[in-house]
Amino acid sequence: MSHSQRRLPEDPQIRALAQALAARSMSRRSVLGAAGALGLTGLLAACGTSGTGGGTSAAPVDVTDLSDSEKVVNWANWTLYLDYDDKTKKYPTLQQFTKDTGIKVNYSEDIDGNDTYYGKVQGQLAAGQDIGQDIFTLTDWMSARLIRQGYTQELDHGNIPNISNLLPNLQEVDFDPGRKHSLTWQSGYAGIAWNKKRFPKGLKTVADLWQPELKGRITVLDEMRDTMGLLMLDNGVDISGQWGESEFGTALDTLRQNISNGQIRQVKGNAYKEDFISGDAIAGIVWSGDIVQMNFENDDQWEFVLPEAGGTLWSDNMMVPIAAPHKAHAEKLMNFYYEPQVAAEVAAYVNFISPVVGAREAMQSIDPELVDNPLIFPTEEDLNRAFAFRSLEPEEETSFSSEFQSAIGA
C-alpha cells in the first residue's frame, strides 16, 4: 500500500480530543450523537447526511447464524474507506483476512450518505429482514438511531478479543453503553478545501466560499451536522453548546441563498470528490481524510484547513444489522481490523485516525514521512478548533433535518 498514512496523535492529544468530544459528544453524530463525541474524541471519521429521527422499531426476529455452513461475510462501507491496491484491483487486508480464515468477504461501497442509505434499508430493517449485509458502517448519530430502533444485533465480545485495543476514551459512548452494538471504524474533521492552482489565494473562512469568482464551483456536504455546523460556527455559534431554531435558521438562510443564486454547484455525500477531481468544483466544505487521499492520487492539488471559526468532528461505526445471517463472521472481521498492524495499514490508505491502540507504533514502519501531517496527527491547536454538533432532541432532529433537506432540494 503506497497511500499516505495517518497516525494516532500523541496520547495526551488523544485524551484531550476524547474528552473534548465526550463533552460535546452527545452532540455530534447521535446527534452526532451523543455518541460520537466519544468516538470522535480520539478520532476523526467519515461522512454522512442528516435526516429525520423517525422510523419504526424492528419487528421481532429470530436469526439463525449460518456462519458454520457459509464461509462468507458481506460488508457495506463508504467509498475510499479501505486499503485498495490499484494494480491488483483488490483490498490487501481483505485478502489477508480471507487467507487467514477462509472466509470470503463481499465488500461494497454502498454508503454515500447516512440518510440516503437509511432510506434504502429502513423498510427491511423495520420488518426484521436481512438487507444482504452482515456489517454496515454508519456515523455516530445514525448509529444511535439504528441501535435505538432495534435494527442492530448485540455483539459477542468473546468473538472480538481485540476489542481491548479500542482506545480507552472510545470504549464508552452514550449511544451504545458497553459497546454492545458497535465498534468505531474511523473518525475525522469537516472543514474547507480548495484547488491550490485554480484558486491560489486560498480560503480562511466559510464566508470565503461565497466570493464571486467561485460562483458555480462550490460543493457542500449533504451531512446536515457538518455543513450546518460549519455555517453556524462561521456565525459565531458554539455548535456544541446552547443554540436553537434562530441560530439554525440564520445559517440555513445562508445555505438557501447560495444554492438559489448558483454559488453552490451541488450538495453531495462522498460523491463530491468526483467534482473536485474533474475540476467542476474548485472549493467546498469537505471531509479531511478525503483530501489527503485525493492529494496522494492527484499530485497534491488541494489544500484543506479548519476554518478560522472552527470545524466539526465525527466517527463512523461498524454494526451488524438485524437478521444478518453471518454475525460470527462479522465479529471475526471486526476483530481482524482491531489488530494494530492491520489498523495501521487501513489508516495509511484512508487517512483518517484509527481507533486502535498500537496502530500508531505499527504505522511508523509503514511510512514515517507522514508523521507530521496534521490531518493524520492532529495538533493541539486543531483539536481546540474542532467541535462536536450538540445532541438534538428527537423533535429537533426531525424539524432541523426536514428544513435542511428542503433547502438542499432532497
Side-chain angles (χ1 to χ4, degrees), residues 117-368:
Y117 187 77
Y118 180 83
K120 293 176 183 177
V121 302
Q122 190 272 333
Q124 291 173 277
L125 292 171
Q129 298 174 353
D130 177 15
I131 63 170
Q133 302 294 345
D134 301 299
I135 298 177
F136 49 11
T137 312
L138 294 157
T139 307
D140 290 334
W141 63 268
M142 181 57 76
S143 299
R145 181 193 299 178
L146 293 168
I147 293 169
R148 181 178 69 246
Q149 293 177 333
Y151 292 168
T152 62
Q153 297 186 47
E154 184 169 337
L155 302 175
D156 181 350
H157 288 181
N159 291 334
I160 316 173
N162 285 334
I163 194 172
S164 62
N165 292 332
L166 177 62
L167 288 175
N169 288 320
L170 301 180
Q171 291 175 6
E172 285 295 334
V173 292
D174 291 347
F175 66 90
D176 185 20
R179 283 291 185 182
K180 294 181 179 179
H181 293 262
S182 68
L183 275 180
T184 305
W185 173 241
Q186 307 287 308
S187 303
Y189 295 120
I192 53 178
W194 65 94
N195 185 297
K196 294 184 288 188
K197 183 176 181 180
R198 301 182 69 180
F199 196 67
K201 68 179 183 178
L203 305 167
K204 293 183 179 180
T205 70
V206 172
D208 288 341
L209 293 171
W210 317 140
Q211 296 178 65
E213 57 265 48
L214 292 175
K215 185 171 184 178
R217 315 309 289 275
I218 297 296
T219 64
V220 300
L221 299 170
D222 64 1
E223 164 56 60
M224 180 189 75
R225 289 160 175 80
D226 288 329
T227 290
M228 294 302 295
L230 263 66
L231 287 169
M232 286 194 287
L233 284 166
D234 198 57
N235 290 338
V237 177
D238 176 4
I239 61 171
S240 62
Q242 296 301 312
W243 54 268
E245 179 65 42
S246 176
E247 292 83 355
F248 187 88
T250 298
L252 195 65
D253 287 343
T254 298
L255 179 64
R256 285 198 187 100
Q257 177 183 346
N258 285 287
I259 291 175
S260 64
N261 67 17
Q263 186 74 19
I264 294 173
R265 172 184 173 80
Q266 283 187 318
V267 182
K268 287 187 171 184
N270 267 54
Y272 78 85
K273 292 175 287 192
E274 299 169 3
D275 289 352
F276 269 62
I277 293 170
S278 70
D280 289 335
I282 296 176
I285 293 175
V286 304
W287 288 302
S288 56
D290 292 339
I291 300 303
V292 178
Q293 188 176 81
M294 289 194 303
N295 273 336
F296 179 85
E297 298 174 341
N298 297 276
D299 301 321
D300 194 32
Q301 294 184 41
W302 301 278
E303 183 81 15
F304 173 93
V305 299
L306 291 176
E308 290 181 347
T312 61
L313 280 170
W314 38 259
S315 289
D316 290 329
N317 305 276
M318 297 180 287
M319 297 170 290
V320 177
I322 189 172
H326 309 106
K327 175 173 169 286
H329 289 341
E331 291 162 343
K332 284 185 180 180
L333 190 63
M334 292 180 187
N335 189 64
F336 174 78
Y337 279 103
Y338 267 63
E339 289 283 352
Q341 183 65 34
V342 176
E345 291 180 35
V346 172
Y349 182 96
V350 304
N351 302 293
F352 289 106
I353 293 179
S354 170
V356 178
V357 172
R360 175 190 172 199
E361 290 75 12
M363 187 86 76
Q364 290 176 333
S365 66
I366 297 176
D367 190 352

Side-chain angles (χ1 to χ4, degrees), residues 1-3 80-99 104-109 293 297 337 345-346 349:
M1 269 146 324
S2 55
H3 284 71
L80 300 180
Y81 218 19
L82 185 64
D83 55 300
Y84 182 75
D85 189 321
D86 290 320
K87 293 181 180 179
T88 65
K89 308 300 181 185
K90 296 182 183 297
Y91 301 93
T93 56
L94 286 184
Q95 288 182 292
Q96 186 62 49
F97 174 77
T98 298
K99 180 180 178 181
K104 177 184 177 182
V105 183
N106 294 318
Y107 182 79
S108 57
E109 296 182 333
Q293 188 176 81
E297 298 174 341
Y337 279 103
E345 291 180 35
V346 172
Y349 182 96

